[in-house]
Each structure stands twice: as structure tokens, then as C-alpha cells.
Amino acid sequence: MRYVISRYVEYQREMAYRYFVTDALYESADHMRIIPKERYYDAIHHTQKVEQRSGDEIARDIIKNAGLVVK
């Protein structure tokens, strides 16, 4: 069991280092980056906003923003 715990701690340290380095590189290349437009952490963990609006509310916003008229 100690082996599993030590491997987990090692993995956590390595991931923290990767997050730190990639965030530093991401921020340092602020105006020069082409791809990717998202952080390494976000790409790995697929953090996305969860839409809280209903489908009707989204449709109304799109219609309103596009200047469409629905009859």
C-alpha cells in the first residue's frame, strides 16, 4: 500500500509541476500564441461551463442578437 501512496504523491507533484510550467509558458506568450487557446489544465480536465439556461432562452438570445424576426 505504501508503494501506491508514494506513486500517487509522485504523480501529483509531477502534475503540479506540469501545470506550473505550462501556465507560465501560456502567460509569457500572451500575444504570440497561435494554438492552443486553452490552458493545459483545461485541456486535460475538460473544464467547460455548464449552460444553465433552457433551450428556449438560448434561442431567444440568438434571435435577438442576430436581429431576426420570428413570426
Side-chain angles (χ1 to χ4, degrees):
M1 189 65 174
R2 285 188 201 180
Y3 176 75
V4 173
I5 293 171
S6 66
R7 291 291 294 189
Y8 178 73
V9 169
E10 179 183 345
Y11 174 77
Q12 291 299 323
R13 284 185 189 146
E14 182 179 334
M15 292 308 290
Y17 177 74
R18 286 183 184 188
Y19 298 151
F20 172 75
V21 169
T22 55
D23 279 348
L25 291 171
Y26 181 83
E27 293 300 325
S28 69
D30 190 31
H31 299 289
M32 296 180 287
R33 65 176 161 254
I34 298 170
I35 298 173
K37 297 287 185 185
E38 63 182 348
R39 296 174 47 222
Y40 175 74
Y41 180 86
D42 297 336
I44 296 299
H45 294 290
H46 304 291
T47 55
Q48 296 178 352
K49 288 183 178 178
V50 176
E51 188 63 56
Q52 299 295 326
R53 300 179 294 171
S54 69
D56 292 336
E57 291 172 329
I58 294 171
R60 268 188 251 124
D61 286 345
I62 291 172
I63 292 168
K64 177 183 163 189
N65 291 338
L68 301 174
V69 177
V70 178
K71 295 182 179 181

